[in-house]
Amino acid sequence: MRIEILSETELSLLNKLIDEADNIVICCHKSPDGDALGSSLAWAEYLKNQRGKDPMVVIPDAFPDFLQWLPNTETIVRYDKHADIVDAVMQHADLVFCLDFNAMNRVDEMEEVLTASPGHKVMIDHHLNPEPAGIELLASHPEMSSTSELIFRIIWQLGGFELMSKKNAAQIYCGMMTDTGGFTYNSNDPAIYFIISQLLTKQINKDKIYRQVFNNYSSWAIRLRGYLMYRKLNVFDEFHAAYFTITRQDMKDFHFMKGDVEGLVNEPLRIKGLKLSISLREDDRHDNLIWLSLRSVDDFPCNEMAERFFNGGGHLNASGGRLQCSMDEAEKIVRQALIAYAEKLKR
């Protein structure tokens, strides 16, 4: 099966940029998930072990506790904790890889230092509508499951699979698995399973990886998730949709840690006939900032809804956004969105 994604010209340029670079930085989007971390760490592993480079992975802020097990997370530098270090490496970088985001504003407070970096910039991503300004090489494939899948394909095309390490394979598999909900959505391409079969030859334990990600919550996190589904879930049978809210008080009451509600937005989709699920979470630091996650089934375009109502976007069945308002106001906007999309939701 042919899984190459770069043209010969693009491949030649990528090799040239890597060969000539002395200071390489790899970065991903704010609130990194399994795909953002998995792809970044996997690309760093390849560059270090097979190309003799010493890249630094920098991220805007914290990542979920259940991803701490990923190989090499101890080498990651957080901008919100070490802005001075990130500023310095960005200023001296001659090559910057932008992974799993389609626009510079996705790195949030790290945007200014990223855009100001003099290094050549390469963007590898699977989100819609990339903004290529300032990008020298763009590998954008929204039709693919994850950025981790793209990283595998590129390593394969560069001839790096034979020497791929076990931990490199685990990083990639984790990213692919998390961005498809354990291969339950955005995962119908047969090439995905060819890639998995190849990763398994590196002796990764996919069952253990699943447990480390999806069965790795604290008792408080389980109580919080149960509370949210029991007390905070709003189901609209007439729209085949549901939403739930997470306030700062909820997080305080249940000793919230980042990642405690990861994937919970998918849970309401277990309700028979439901087509759309939305979660609304208050930011724990900034007032009047609400983060939204949307998940849908079949052909309902939650990315279109996210762009139209929630200043966001994403994929057909998995999207996100943000609102600058109170939670009460955000709930009103969600209800307006449901009414606006009533015809598509009722189909």
Side-chain angles (χ1 to χ4, degrees):
M1 177 176 288
R2 294 190 61 83
I3 61 171
E4 295 82 359
I5 58 172
L6 299 178
S7 68
E8 288 303 315
T9 300
E10 291 169 332
L11 190 66
S12 177
L13 175 58
L14 178 60
N15 271 315
K16 180 175 183 295
L17 291 172
I18 294 172
D19 288 341
E20 296 179 354
D22 293 318
N23 301 301
I24 299 177
V25 178
I26 300 170
C27 60
C28 62
H29 60 73
K30 176 181 172 60
S31 300
D33 55 13
D35 187 30
L37 277 190
S39 60
S40 297
L41 291 170
W43 188 234
E45 177 78 2
Y46 165 76
L47 291 175
K48 182 176 182 178
N49 288 349
Q50 298 200 43
R51 303 300 291 263
K53 304 298 179 178
D54 188 24
M56 177 179 288
V57 176
V58 302
I59 62 177
D61 56 3
F63 56 89
D65 183 67
F66 60 75
L67 293 174
Q68 290 283 353
W69 66 270
L70 271 169
N72 301 337
T73 55
E74 71 281 358
T75 66
I76 293 173
V77 179
R78 284 173 49 182
Y79 182 73
D80 62 334
K81 295 287 188 180
H82 304 285
D84 55 337
I85 295 176
V86 177
D87 287 345
V89 297
M90 283 291 190
Q91 289 172 12
H92 293 92
D94 42 28
L95 180 57
V96 180
F97 287 98
C98 305
L99 302 190
D100 202 37
F101 62 94
N102 59 355
M104 295 303 182
N105 61 12
R106 290 292 311 283
V107 300
D108 204 48
E109 295 175 358
M110 203 169 73
E111 179 181 1
E112 184 176 348
V113 68
L114 171 59
T115 55
S117 175
H120 301 285
K121 295 182 179 67
V122 176
M123 180 176 284
I124 303 173
D125 181 50
H126 74 128
H127 294 92
L128 295 168
N129 306 316
E131 298 179 11
I135 301 299
E136 189 162 343
L137 176 59
L138 173 65
S140 174
H141 291 270
E143 76 278 8
M144 294 190 180
S145 71
S146 57
T147 299
S148 293
E149 177 185 342
L150 297 180
I151 291 297
F152 179 90
R153 288 171 179 261
I154 291 171
I155 293 175
W156 179 280
Q157 192 169 356
L158 288 168
F161 176 72
E162 185 176 351
L163 295 178
M164 180 181 286
S165 66
K166 179 180 179 179
K167 63 180 180 181
N168 204 176
Q171 293 158 339
I172 292 172
Y173 183 84
C174 178
M176 292 178 64
M177 180 191 71
T178 53
D179 236 32
T180 58
F183 305 103
T184 61
Y185 53 83
N186 295 336
S187 55
N188 282 325
D189 184 354
I192 292 173
Y193 301 94
F194 170 75
I195 293 171
I196 293 171
S197 72
Q198 298 305 301
L199 292 172
L200 288 171
T201 67
K202 300 300 180 179
Q203 309 304 313
I204 63 170
N205 186 335
K206 72 176 188 64
D207 300 336
K208 185 176 181 180
I209 293 173
Y210 182 94
R211 293 195 305 271
Q212 287 173 311
V213 172
F214 294 114
N215 298 345
N216 198 14
Y217 294 110
S218 69
S219 60
W220 280 111
I222 294 299
R223 291 184 173 95
L224 171 61
R225 295 165 77 92
Y227 167 78
L228 294 173
M229 290 297 96
Y230 177 53
R231 299 297 299 271
K232 307 297 288 290
L233 182 65
N234 299 271
V235 180
F236 301 86
D237 293 323
E238 68 274 28
F239 296 124
H240 306 293
Y243 77 81
F244 61 92
T245 63
I246 311 167
T247 66
R248 288 181 180 176
Q249 189 62 50
D250 296 331
M251 291 185 276
K252 181 180 179 181
D253 290 343
F254 289 89
H255 306 283
F256 177 83
M257 293 180 60
K258 195 157 191 174
D260 280 356
V261 294
E262 186 81 18
L264 188 62
V265 66
N266 296 297
E267 194 66 20
L269 293 175
R270 293 174 179 267
I271 299 172
K272 184 177 181 179
L274 209 74
K275 298 186 71 172
L276 173 67
S277 173
I278 304 175
S279 72
L280 300 87
R281 179 179 62 81
E282 284 185 328
D283 189 271
D284 58 354
R285 291 186 299 161
H286 304 290
D287 293 336
N288 293 321
L289 175 57
I290 309 296
W291 297 96
L292 295 97
S293 292
L294 298 84
R295 297 293 185 271
S296 66
V297 298
D298 298 329
D299 60 352
F300 183 78
C302 66
N303 55 344
E304 183 183 302
M305 177 183 280
E307 182 176 357
R308 180 176 169 186
F309 285 92
F310 309 129
N311 306 301
H315 301 283
L316 179 72
N317 299 126
S319 303
R322 69 172 81 180
L323 291 171
Q324 298 280 349
C325 62
S326 68
M327 182 64 82
D328 287 342
E329 292 170 318
E331 290 190 66
K332 291 177 183 177
I333 295 173
V334 167
R335 292 189 176 98
Q336 292 170 3
L338 296 182
I339 293 171
Y341 280 85
E343 184 177 340
K344 288 185 178 181
L345 286 167
K346 291 177 180 180
R347 288 176 186 170

